[in-house]
Amino acid sequence: MRDFDLSPLYRSAIGFDRLASMLDNASRNDNQPSYPPYNIELLGENAYRITMAVAGFNIDELVIQSENSTLLIAGTKQADKQQHQYLYQGIAARNFERRFQLADHVKVTKAHMENGLLHVDLVREIPEAMKPRSIQIEG
């Protein structure tokens, strides 16, 4: 019931193919994994933070890449050399890969870990040419 036909948008809108592709991918991607849990915060008018729970991961086991308006956060857990006999294992320590679509002009500024949480700060930097400007009226 959630299938949308975006082909009319492709036929009549030029330059909006990226938007249509994002809508198409979002409608198909209902089964995205929920691990690891994360929050997206609005810190200011143009500042955002992604906070991801990465308990059990070291900094060297995490990768953050930003390319073509896509932010990739991946964790690859190194093999544990010790054998453990768990009575209950509730802490998931499996590999993950999470992708976020970034809007135009959104850039990653920094990332840091604190108390098992990975914080990735982002900012939207609008170029001067795209900012509103006042036009002097001559009379």
Side-chain angles (χ1 to χ4, degrees):
M1 200 69 178
R2 293 178 58 154
D3 293 331
F4 300 105
D5 182 19
L6 298 175
S7 56
L9 183 60
Y10 287 118
R11 284 193 305 259
S12 61
I14 298 172
F16 290 95
D17 50 333
R18 183 171 161 238
L19 175 64
S21 295
M22 284 175 37
L23 289 171
D24 194 31
N25 288 338
S27 68
R28 292 180 195 193
N29 215 2
D30 285 342
N31 59 353
Q32 186 167 356
S34 61
Y35 176 78
Y38 65 93
N39 295 334
I40 301 176
E41 295 178 71
L42 178 63
L43 301 177
E45 186 176 345
N46 292 314
Y48 307 90
R49 174 178 285 162
I50 298 172
T51 301
M52 187 172 288
V54 290
F57 282 86
N58 294 324
I59 291 175
D60 58 338
E61 296 173 327
L62 298 170
V63 173
I64 302 172
Q65 291 180 336
S66 179
E67 182 180 359
N68 295 335
S69 298
T70 300
L71 174 65
L72 167 72
I73 302 175
T76 305
K77 194 72 180 146
Q78 296 175 357
D80 194 1
K81 295 180 175 110
Q82 288 183 329
Q83 291 293 328
H84 299 280
Q85 184 178 359
Y86 293 105
L87 297 177
Y88 173 76
Q89 186 176 9
I91 300 173
R94 60 184 182 263
N95 297 342
F96 69 88
E97 187 174 286
R98 175 74 70 171
R99 294 180 187 274
F100 299 92
Q101 280 298 132
L102 301 179
D104 292 338
H105 313 295
V106 173
K107 309 237 183 303
V108 177
T109 57
K110 70 177 182 175
H112 67 281
M113 285 213 13
E114 180 182 6
N115 299 327
L117 297 174
L118 174 66
H119 301 284
V120 181
D121 292 339
L122 304 109
V123 67
R124 179 177 31 217
E125 297 175 345
I126 301 172
E128 286 296 322
M130 297 183 74
K131 289 183 180 177
R133 58 187 177 99
S134 296
I135 309 300
Q136 191 76 21
I137 301 173
E138 297 179 15

